[in-house]
Amino acid sequence: MLKAIFLDMDETLCATSVADKQALATLKHYVQSQFPTLNADVFCQRYIAGIYKQLNSEFPQLVVLLDNELLFRQTLVQTLFTQQQITLSFEQAVAIQAAFDDGRMAGFDFFPEVKAMLATLRQQYKLVVITNGPIFSQYPKLAATAMDQHVDHIIIGGEEAEEKPAFSIFKKALDLVGCEPSEALHMGDSLAADIAGANGAGIASVWIDTGKESDHDKLSQITPSYIVMQPQQLLNVITQHFA
């Protein structure tokens, strides 16, 4: 019997990539207006790679700041400006980071039909959001969507000893709702974090296929119980799961 549904947030319930595009447009406009000699396109491309930790090997001096995500991002801004031979004060870096954050939160929201789906699911099941990421970035997203009004529990990886795919974070979700692994489903867009984690915990997994070729290459190693193209298709999966 299904008792609980666990859900990833970014690119599962919420259109994070859409918000990122809006934030980058805001960021580009801001830095172009303030620093006309800056190659804004290169800066924005490198900045978004940096905040997703894709430049850690290039900037090991920034990795030591990861316990403070805001300081990490502000220092990343300064570092990327320095690469373009532009000296930037810390106060200016703070303003640039704020421009990105403001633009991102202005565009952060649920995918269409997701709120209605959550309301339907909550009539029968306990809902738990399990999201990786630092408190700095995840708290504003949760606030922007009033997530606590739509689900029963929220677990933020940045507050835990381990993030997905660690067993411990799924065990915490199971304990919160008082159910066994066989009584839960977990849906997410990341094969490595969501699907591998759920599979490892003995929880049926629902993968949202976002169409990335790199993800499809991993399917031979990480196999979801179900595959959907849109989050609201979870309702059909539940019917199939019971059958």
Side-chain angles (χ1 to χ4, degrees):
M1 178 180 178
L2 184 63
K3 293 183 179 179
I5 298 173
F6 305 155
L7 303 151
D8 174 50
M9 178 169 64
D10 293 298
E11 292 301 278
T12 297
L13 298 180
C14 301
T16 308
S17 59
V18 174
D20 281 349
K21 288 179 181 178
Q22 180 167 323
L24 280 175
T26 301
L27 180 65
K28 180 179 177 180
H29 179 267
Y30 181 82
V31 295
Q32 279 182 326
S33 66
Q34 299 295 315
F35 306 94
T37 63
L38 179 77
N39 186 324
D41 288 323
V42 170
F43 168 75
C44 289
Q45 179 184 25
R46 298 271 287 163
Y47 171 79
I48 200 71
I51 68 169
Y52 281 111
K53 312 304 183 286
Q54 295 168 6
L55 303 181
N56 284 4
S57 60
E58 183 177 345
F59 301 129
Q61 73 275 20
L62 299 185
V63 175
V64 298
L65 302 176
L66 284 176
D67 286 342
N68 185 333
E69 183 71 20
L70 178 57
L71 180 60
F72 169 82
R73 296 187 183 198
Q74 292 163 340
T75 308
L76 172 67
V77 169
Q78 282 188 300
T79 302
L80 295 176
F81 266 69
T82 299
Q83 285 196 322
Q84 294 197 38
Q85 289 78 51
I86 299 175
T87 302
L88 193 72
S89 71
F90 186 72
E91 290 72 19
Q92 289 172 313
V94 168
I96 291 170
Q97 177 62 45
F100 177 82
D101 291 338
D102 291 346
R104 194 183 203 195
M105 287 304 97
F108 193 82
D109 202 355
F110 289 106
F111 282 114
E113 301 180 37
V114 164
K115 283 196 286 188
M117 178 190 74
L118 294 176
T120 299
L121 292 174
R122 206 175 182 193
Q123 293 175 16
Q124 299 183 63
Y125 312 108
K126 293 292 184 181
L127 305 184
V128 183
V129 164
I130 310 175
T131 176
N132 280 359
I135 296 170
F136 165 78
S137 61
Q138 301 310 80
Y139 268 17
K141 296 175 187 175
L142 294 167
T145 54
M147 187 68 74
D148 60 347
Q149 297 180 22
H150 301 285
V151 301
D152 298 288
H153 302 282
I154 298 169
I155 302 174
I156 302 173
E159 291 184 319
E160 304 298 320
E162 300 175 292
E163 294 191 317
K164 296 178 294 185
F167 172 76
S168 61
I169 203 163
F170 288 95
K171 177 64 164 56
K172 178 172 182 175
L174 290 169
D175 290 343
L176 282 172
V177 296
C179 74
E180 298 298 320
S182 61
E183 298 172 322
L185 283 174
H186 175 71
M187 181 172 72
D189 69 297
S190 171
L191 285 170
D194 295 298
I195 305 309
N199 290 351
I203 298 169
S205 55
V206 183
W207 179 52
I208 298 180
D209 182 1
T210 59
K212 295 179 183 177
E213 185 176 341
S214 58
D215 284 339
H216 283 255
D217 293 340
K218 299 173 186 174
L219 281 173
S220 59
Q221 290 82 38
I222 304 172
T223 305
S225 306
Y226 304 96
I227 299 176
V228 299
M229 304 300 292
Q230 298 175 325
Q232 60 267 32
Q233 291 176 310
L234 178 60
L235 297 171
N236 297 330
V237 167
I238 291 171
T239 301
Q240 182 179 352
H241 190 65
F242 277 124

